[in-house]
Amino acid sequence: MAPRCWRWWHWSTWRRTRLPPTGSTPSFRQQFSTQEQGPQICVVGSGPAGFYTTQHLLKHHPRAHVDIYEKQLVPFGLVRFGVAPDHPEVKNVINTFTQTARSDRCAFRGNVVVGRDVAVSELQAAYHAVVLSYGAEDHQALEIPGEELPGVFSARAFVGWYNGLPENRELAPDLSCDTAVILGQGNVALDVARILLTPPGHLEKTDITEAALGVLRQSRVKTVWIVGRRGPLQVAFTIKLPRQRKRLTELLLRTATEKPGAEEAARQASATRTWGLRFFRSPQQVLPSPDGQRVAGIRLAVTRLEGVGEAARAAPTGDTEDLPCGLVLSSVGYKSRPIDPNVPFDPKLGVIPNMEGRVLGVPGLYCSGWVKRGPTGVIATTMTDSFLTGQMLLQDLKAGLLPSGPRPGYAAIEALLSSRGVQPVSFSDWEKLDAEEVSRGKGAGKPREKLLDPQEMLRLLGR
């Protein structure tokens, strides 16, 4: 049975908006549509945070309707554009998200840039609640001399390039050098190193883009260094549980101190590609080639730890080391951007100030995922975090803290978008694009060949 406050809201709303004049009798259709009426909720962002928030709302409120707005023409965010192509099992969560999107109480509205095509305040006027789940769309700058040189890329852009993110399709990294340096020792750094060193033949049956595969086939990169400011106990690419961290540390120490056996030594000697971890090094300057036209190396400050445990910080010792390389990939973190001038944003932390997902000082506005807590954690972390935001929203709804009258939802936003020449893309539109990608990949034995050009996508949809 619905909570008492919901029965009251339902009845009062019905009386105000649906009750016919005295002496007339409402039709069965009128009664049915009134009984089905529920809160209109808007979620901005269709990555894991957006979909998990939506999933929680639909599961725990039988009459809630959720519209998911997405700036890309396609859904799924970092599951599609961030997960490495050789880890297809991680993408299985798309099946769950697809079930959510196909619900008759959920609608996907792609190709809509919130903050440009429609303001957050306009969404707030149309919906009972708005949840911002748009993730971390930028990268942390190194802020060192030479960062702007050709041959220096953010790992985020590099990942977007090989995963088919439209904005990165023209990246064209030059892989004609012998050595690449990745700054940062998180999961993204390991993904990038693996893609650089994996024989292209092993990637041909994945969903990596054909354009990226063509460049990787011509790659001359033989050595990849993964550089971190701190030591092996502080690396970010491990699960932060004592047992797994201990096992990883033991493996690193054994590899560093034990002499390999004859078989392993022979294998290492015959290897055509190698990689290594360099600890206690912090980037100080990107070194230019003699003509100043591209990167030729990187100067690293040698560091030591001050403090203990996870709180230990890297401090420069005064020594430096120059590492020759022709490619530098910065993987020191993702960063969220402010979406709208009227939405509070902490530029230092790169998050929307909030309390358990409730945006501070703005009733009815919520956030989930990386824009809520910062760019940390895996998909399971985001799921838990998003469920919590959904729970807070439903608590506020039940407590009467959100607008009680009817809201027009997408009907009002659709009119605004139409007047501004914006053409939203539905989930059924995405399924047509999905079928096209799968069809294109089938001939090459790939799960799909991703569409990269938004204009081509719109043409395929008859727009």
Side-chain angles (χ1 to χ4, degrees):
M1 181 175 290
R4 182 178 178 185
C5 65
W6 263 106
R7 295 202 302 274
W8 175 85
W9 178 86
H10 212 41
W11 171 246
S12 63
T13 302
W14 187 84
R15 284 189 62 87
R16 286 198 308 273
T17 62
R18 299 287 185 173
L19 199 61
T22 304
S24 63
T25 304
S27 67
F28 176 79
R29 183 181 296 276
Q30 285 176 308
Q31 294 180 47
F32 182 80
S33 64
T34 300
Q35 290 170 356
E36 290 299 305
Q37 189 181 30
Q40 299 286 320
I41 301 169
C42 157
V43 170
V44 179
S46 68
F51 266 106
Y52 279 129
T53 303
T54 300
Q55 182 182 323
H56 187 90
L57 294 171
L58 296 180
K59 179 179 179 180
H60 294 280
H61 195 297
R63 292 183 302 279
H65 179 93
V66 181
D67 287 322
I68 303 176
Y69 290 86
E70 168 60 54
K71 73 171 188 175
Q72 303 290 342
L73 276 77
V74 299
F76 310 132
L78 280 185
V79 179
R80 175 179 168 97
F81 297 122
V83 174
D86 58 344
H87 283 178
E89 70 284 351
V90 181
K91 303 182 186 184
N92 289 338
V93 70
I94 284 177
N95 298 327
T96 303
F97 295 164
T98 296
Q99 291 178 5
T100 299
R102 286 175 175 167
S103 165
D104 57 5
R105 293 188 290 121
C106 179
F108 173 75
R109 316 291 183 185
N111 199 33
V112 178
V113 182
V114 173
R116 185 193 72 186
D117 300 334
V118 60
V120 171
S121 59
E122 292 171 325
L123 295 175
Q124 289 176 286
Y127 292 89
H128 291 94
V130 174
V131 186
L132 302 175
S133 307
Y134 60 88
E137 301 175 305
D138 210 343
H139 69 280
Q140 295 282 0
L142 292 172
E143 297 181 346
I144 60 174
E147 185 175 9
E148 73 291 342
L149 283 169
V152 181
F153 300 94
S154 73
R156 183 195 181 281
F158 190 78
V159 169
W161 168 70
Y162 65 66
N163 271 335
L165 184 61
E167 67 189 61
N168 296 133
R169 69 185 188 276
E170 305 291 345
L171 194 71
D174 182 355
L175 305 185
S176 63
C177 60
D178 177 80
T179 302
V181 169
I182 302 172
L183 302 172
Q185 294 182 332
N187 291 329
V188 173
L190 287 189
D191 284 346
V192 168
R194 201 173 60 254
I195 295 299
L196 282 171
L197 296 175
T198 297
H202 294 182
L203 297 172
E204 288 174 348
K205 304 305 180 184
T206 73
D207 67 356
I208 192 170
T209 68
E210 187 57 39
L213 199 55
V215 174
L216 289 168
R217 286 192 183 105
Q218 303 299 317
S219 173
R220 297 180 184 174
V221 175
K222 303 299 181 187
T223 303
V224 174
W225 289 108
I226 305 174
V227 178
R229 293 176 296 112
R230 300 190 294 172
L233 294 180
Q234 291 81 32
V235 289
F237 55 73
T238 176
I239 299 174
K240 294 182 183 293
L241 296 174
R243 185 177 178 184
Q244 284 87 340
R245 183 173 285 277
K246 181 181 178 184
R247 288 174 59 190
L248 176 68
T249 304
E250 290 172 347
L251 176 62
L252 288 171
L253 290 173
R254 188 166 67 248
T255 303
T257 59
E258 291 183 3
K259 185 178 180 179
E263 184 178 342
E264 176 62 18
R267 190 185 70 81
Q268 291 181 11
S270 64
T272 57
R273 297 182 177 187
T274 62
W275 69 282
L277 297 164
R278 292 183 86 89
F279 297 110
F280 304 112
R281 299 291 186 272
S282 179
Q284 194 176 67
Q285 179 184 354
V286 178
L287 303 174
S289 58
D291 61 5
Q293 295 304 302
R294 60 172 295 106
V295 58
I298 186 158
R299 179 160 295 157
L300 303 170
V302 179
T303 64
R304 64 170 178 267
L305 290 183
E306 293 183 352
V308 294
E310 291 280 338
R313 298 181 63 84
T317 63
D319 295 331
T320 61
E321 172 186 76
D322 290 352
L323 190 59
C325 63
L327 178 67
V328 173
L329 294 162
S330 168
S331 185
V332 295
Y334 285 28
K335 184 173 67 173
S336 296
R337 301 170 180 165
I339 193 172
D340 189 295
N342 295 318
V343 176
F345 189 79
D346 184 331
K348 185 176 181 180
L349 298 178
V351 298
I352 295 173
N354 70 93
M355 184 66 70
E356 296 186 314
R358 298 178 175 101
V359 176
L360 297 181
V362 190
L365 189 62
Y366 302 82
C367 56
S368 66
W370 283 4
V371 77
K372 169 186 174 182
R373 70 178 191 277
T376 59
V378 293
I379 290 177
T381 319
T382 297
M383 177 181 71
T384 304
D385 166 85
S386 302
F387 286 175
L388 177 61
T389 292
Q391 183 181 340
M392 296 302 103
L393 191 159
L394 293 178
Q395 282 183 11
D396 292 350
L397 193 60
K398 184 176 180 180
L401 300 177
L402 299 180
S404 59
R407 290 290 170 103
Y410 183 62
I413 302 303
E414 184 179 28
L416 287 175
L417 296 176
S418 177
S419 71
R420 294 164 185 172
V422 180
Q423 297 181 309
V425 169
S426 68
F427 199 77
S428 61
D429 288 332
W430 151 244
E431 291 182 313
K432 294 174 186 174
L433 298 176
D434 178 42
E436 176 66 20
E437 290 187 345
V438 171
S439 175
R440 292 186 182 191
K442 192 173 183 181
K446 301 175 65 175
R448 69 178 61 245
E449 184 59 51
K450 291 178 181 175
L451 297 164
L452 308 181
D453 184 356
Q455 294 306 314
E456 182 187 8
M457 296 184 206
L458 290 173
R459 284 196 301 273
L460 289 169
L461 295 174
R463 304 292 177 85

